[in-house]
Amino acid sequence: MVDDRVIDIIKALGLEGLLRTPGREIDHGLITALVERWRQETHTFHMPHGEVTITLQDVEVLLGLPVDGEVITGSTQKEWENVCEEFLGFRPVNNQRKELHGQRILIQRLLEAVANPLPPNATEDQLHKYARCYILALLGDTIFMDKSGDRVHLMWVQQLEDLRNPRRYNWGSACLAWLYRELCRASDKKANQIGGCLLLVQYWAWARFPYLCPTVEHGPPVDAYGPPVRGPLSLKWLWVPNKKNRPAHIFLDRYREQIASMLPGQVVWQPYEAEFENLPPWCVAGRAVWTATVPLVCFHLVEKHTPDRVVRQFGMIQEISHTVDTDTVLHAIDLRGKVGVDWMRKHAAHITEWGNRLQQRCEAVLGDMPPQHEYFDWYKRVTRRFINVLGARLIIMIEGYARLLRRHPVGTEDHKDITDVLNAVQEIGRVQAPIPEAPNEEAATPAAAPTQSPSTSRALVGRGSRSSVATPRVVPTPDPYPSTPNPSPSPTIPSPIPHPSPSPTIPSPIPHPSSSPTTIPSPTPHPCPGSDIRPPTPRSFPELSPIPSFDLGLDLTPPDMHPQPPSHSTSTGPSSGIDPPHVHVETHCWVTSQGRRSAETHSKGTSSVGRGGHKHGHNAGPEASDEGHARPPPHYTRRRKVQKR
């Protein structure tokens, strides 16, 4: 919108932030990975190191929406055709595309009404109808998006009736209530779509967990001029590239692994403190209600705002949270069959409670959380630790080795071996420049083997091993957040073709020149020679203290310890005798009648994520056998027959 008359009306309504917020492609894998950790009872995400959630502070700072003002409510007992004609300037036609479906109108019809510029001599009535069409389409495309993705409810017109002296409504709390309800619905196993302001979820995740944000590849254009536009903090990620046509299930698995192995230092609890001075006043005007524990009212929706469970986001020490549960009666209320309901009268008690919001602000002691705080032990007992089988294997393996590490003194051979394993797990997924290959004369020596590069020795968790192939060199991408400890790998997530893993590689059918005759190894992988690392027995897992992730900081890694590159006798990751998690799930090896062994890594598929609209899925992984191995692809059966003939 470039018409100053319409922009002035938008500013008077408090919706200027929606004009400034940059739009982008939604990362369906990231949204799905966060939905899997959403808890309906507390309206929080259960992360490895505590609860986090989207609060009124995030809405106001990231989107610039007002969070203090009158609640957005009203009646749905309207003749919606007459509402369109009186306030929007047209009467919807129920043709094939069905412009008006119940109480929702097609966004495309609203855009057609503002397709042509407003004439300079337009009357006030024409200006207001023109502005209502644009604002209603803006609301339906950003903060009040439903699962259809192409319609918006007409009930918001009630807040746009008086544009001469508009009232200051609490658009931020209505946006958050709508998003909470969509997250709760999407967390149901039967759901495969989600609505709400997903832009807010994505920007919030990038602010709280910077290692999940893609790297900025290109900055402003060379011919850009003038001072930067002042607006909501979402402009900070304006130049983050959009990733289109990505395999959603691959990215979902990657995000699951990154969140499950999250380190304490990778969580930014207060990402906005250094940005307050650069934000416009309307992005921090509601600071007084950021910590209010109040119900969020939006017409039929009443959702609980629970900042008392995430006070670390406000620089306070989190104590053990009180028991809380969502009112199932309120959660079951929707607009189906509620044609003639006056929601202002029905939710009068909750509206009154919102009116006392300044008296319901949570308070706690300011400071940093000590690692020995009782909150962490309590949280590990009540949280949902495992999201999927792959993440559970990774966490259990890390816990077992962390416990073994405490039993061995620093400097011993066992301590070094276990530390190497944990370091290798921590480095999973990092993209680094490959080490130059060894000279030919060294490779021909029977006692030596070609040195693998770090990029080929580290693979994504859950990817099987492949035979040695030429791997394209990857130029390391600089970290956009150098101050964050243990920065994440380059956000360019690897392609569906997995890199070779540390597990034993399968020999090529063509024998390599060597001084000794070539033998065909057994299909069963054997432990690497010289490795005496033993995994914790399954019976010891119930005795472990639940540690969702690990931190190899000052106490575990000696300063003079440097992991060696893998070779034929050593490995930076678990040896083949450890039964490394995620590796054997997708690797299938067998021996043909001619004595040649073949392997194939079958890419795992998840439910449809991001295949139109804002869809997401939760049931990940193909059907597997009792041993956890997927069946080999059928085309290998045909290949075996050809070899037999």
Side-chain angles (χ1 to χ4, degrees):
M1 178 57 61
V2 296
D3 195 314
D4 292 336
R5 294 169 293 179
V6 179
I7 293 177
D8 291 339
I9 294 176
I10 294 175
K11 290 180 179 180
L13 289 169
L15 297 175
E16 183 180 359
L18 295 184
L19 285 178
R20 308 300 183 193
T21 301
R24 63 173 49 257
E25 286 285 322
I26 297 299
D27 193 333
H28 301 281
L30 176 60
I31 299 298
T32 304
L34 292 174
V35 168
E36 291 174 342
R37 293 181 173 271
W38 178 260
R39 303 303 301 169
Q40 302 183 25
E41 304 86 355
T42 60
H43 286 165
T44 57
F45 297 100
H46 276 221
M47 293 298 184
H49 304 289
E51 293 179 88
V52 292
T53 193
I54 304 174
T55 64
L56 292 175
Q57 179 195 44
D58 301 294
V59 177
E60 187 168 36
V61 172
L62 293 175
L63 300 183
L65 294 176
V67 297
D68 193 7
E70 299 183 24
V71 298
I72 294 182
T73 186
S75 174
T76 53
Q77 189 175 3
K78 303 283 185 179
E79 295 292 336
W80 300 111
E81 292 85 357
N82 298 335
V83 170
C84 291
E85 187 174 8
E86 180 180 358
F87 294 102
L88 301 181
F90 64 88
R91 193 173 187 87
V93 179
N94 290 330
N95 49 15
Q96 292 182 352
R97 65 175 184 174
K98 213 169 186 179
E99 294 179 354
L100 183 62
H101 182 71
Q103 307 173 27
R104 302 179 303 158
I105 192 169
L106 202 64
I107 295 179
Q108 183 62 32
R109 181 64 183 89
L110 298 173
L111 296 179
E112 292 174 0
V114 297
N116 298 322
L118 194 64
N121 57 349
T123 63
E124 184 182 59
D125 183 63
Q126 291 176 333
L127 172 62
H128 289 177
K129 291 179 179 178
Y130 189 91
R132 290 189 191 100
C133 290
Y134 178 78
I135 295 172
L136 193 60
L138 184 64
L139 294 175
D141 195 48
T142 53
I143 61 177
F144 296 128
M145 182 179 292
D146 61 6
K147 290 184 290 186
S148 69
D150 60 352
R151 294 184 180 273
V152 61
H153 208 289
L154 286 172
M155 59 186 177
W156 318 113
V157 177
Q158 300 177 58
Q159 279 67 43
L160 307 176
E161 291 181 358
D162 186 8
L163 296 183
R164 180 180 298 176
N165 298 305
R167 304 168 70 175
R168 296 292 292 186
Y169 287 102
N170 187 358
W171 294 100
S173 67
C175 167
L176 197 57
W178 192 277
L179 178 61
Y180 280 177
R181 178 61 63 88
E182 291 294 333
L183 287 171
C184 292
R185 287 178 175 176
S187 61
D188 187 358
K189 294 181 179 180
K190 299 179 181 179
N192 60 359
Q193 290 179 314
I194 183 174
C197 189
L198 301 183
L199 272 178
L200 174 61
V201 181
Q202 190 159 312
Y203 287 133
W204 171 86
W206 289 353
R208 301 286 177 181
F209 315 106
Y211 74 103
L212 298 178
C213 179
T215 305
V216 178
E217 300 173 356
H218 304 285
V222 180
D223 56 348
Y225 63 93
V229 179
R230 294 194 67 190
L233 192 59
S234 56
L235 289 171
K236 177 179 179 181
W237 297 277
L238 177 63
W239 301 106
V240 174
N242 287 322
K243 303 295 183 181
K244 297 182 179 180
N245 301 325
R246 301 180 300 181
H249 64 280
I250 299 291
F251 278 69
L252 175 58
D253 292 340
R254 173 64 176 270
Y255 284 126
R256 284 170 175 169
E257 294 158 6
Q258 287 184 318
I259 294 176
S261 59
M262 181 188 300
L263 300 177
Q266 291 179 311
V267 184
V268 182
W269 292 103
Q270 294 180 273
Y272 312 135
E273 293 297 320
E275 307 289 346
F276 286 150
E277 298 179 357
N278 302 323
L279 294 176
W282 41 270
C283 285
V284 293
R287 189 192 298 261
V289 300
W290 286 352
T291 59
T293 307
V294 289
L296 306 176
V297 182
C298 175
F299 277 94
H300 61 290
L301 302 178
V302 179
E303 300 291 339
K304 192 73 172 179
H305 184 234
T306 57
D308 56 313
R309 305 186 68 88
V310 292
V311 295
R312 282 190 286 177
Q313 296 183 194
F314 304 97
M316 307 178 192
I317 297 178
Q318 180 68 56
E319 301 295 338
I320 296 178
S321 304
H322 301 289
T323 302
V324 65
D325 196 358
T326 306
D327 191 336
T328 56
V329 177
L330 290 176
H331 240 213
I333 296 178
D334 55 22
L335 288 176
R336 289 176 294 185
K338 314 295 191 307
V339 179
V341 178
D342 187 352
W343 299 107
M344 182 180 296
R345 183 173 302 176
K346 184 175 182 64
H347 295 324
H350 302 290
I351 296 176
T352 302
E353 190 175 355
W354 166 259
N356 300 326
R357 54 192 176 277
L358 296 180
Q359 287 75 36
Q360 301 187 37
R361 292 177 292 180
C362 60
E363 298 179 357
V365 179
L366 295 175
D368 298 330
M369 289 281 289
Q372 299 81 16
H373 198 279
E374 60 179 355
Y375 168 82
F376 295 107
D377 293 333
W378 168 83
Y379 179 73
K380 292 167 187 174
R381 295 194 305 266
V382 302
T383 186
R384 179 184 177 184
R385 300 181 58 212
F386 304 134
I387 301 300
N388 62 339
V389 176
L390 299 181
R393 290 176 178 174
L394 178 63
I395 294 175
I396 291 176
M397 190 274 289
I398 292 173
E399 291 176 355
Y401 279 101
R403 176 165 181 153
L404 287 176
L405 193 64
R406 302 187 191 104
R407 300 179 182 177
H408 299 280
V410 178
T412 61
E413 192 68 23
D414 291 338
H415 187 281
K416 180 180 181 302
D417 291 338
I418 297 175
T419 305
D420 287 345
V421 172
L422 293 178
N423 278 330
V425 173
Q426 183 177 347
E427 294 291 325
I428 285 175
R430 294 187 182 273
V431 180
Q432 299 181 2
I435 298 176
E437 297 181 358
N440 294 334
E441 58 269 19
E442 295 180 4
T445 305
T451 302
Q452 296 179 354
S453 64
S455 62
T456 60
S457 63
R458 299 183 179 97
L460 266 177
V461 178
R463 304 291 178 264
S465 60
R466 297 174 63 91
S467 58
S468 299
V469 294
T471 304
R473 296 177 182 268
V474 181
V475 179
T477 306
D479 189 4
Y481 300 94
S483 60
T484 304
N486 299 312
S488 110
S490 171
T492 304
I493 301 180
S495 62
I497 302 177
H499 298 285
S501 71
S503 57
T505 57
I506 301 172
S508 172
I510 303 176
H512 297 281
S514 175
S515 59
S516 59
T518 303
T519 59
I520 299 175
S522 172
T524 304
H526 297 283
C528 296
S531 174
D532 57 352
I533 305 176
R534 293 177 300 274
T537 57
R539 69 185 62 181
S540 65
F541 289 151
E543 304 173 1
L544 299 178
S545 58
I547 306 175
S549 64
F550 64 99
D551 187 359
L552 302 179
L554 300 177
D555 299 333
L556 303 183
T557 306
D560 57 345
M561 182 175 298
H562 301 283
Q564 299 295 330
S567 65
H568 70 287
S569 60
T570 60
S571 173
T572 59
S575 64
S576 59
I578 297 179
D579 188 17
H582 308 288
V583 174
H584 294 289
V585 176
E586 298 178 352
T587 304
H588 320 291
C589 305
W590 60 92
V591 180
T592 62
S593 58
Q594 298 179 358
R596 296 180 178 180
R597 185 171 60 172
S598 305
E600 174 69 12
T601 302
H602 184 59
S603 176
K604 280 193 171 184
T606 61
S607 56
S608 58
V609 182
R611 298 181 180 177
H614 299 280
K615 300 180 181 180
H616 72 284
H618 306 286
N619 301 327
E623 297 182 1
S625 60
D626 297 337
E627 295 81 12
H629 297 274
R631 297 179 179 177
H635 63 274
Y636 274 90
T637 305
R638 295 194 294 271
R639 185 176 299 177
R640 286 182 59 184
K641 292 181 180 180
V642 173
Q643 292 176 354
K644 285 182 179 181
R645 290 198 294 270

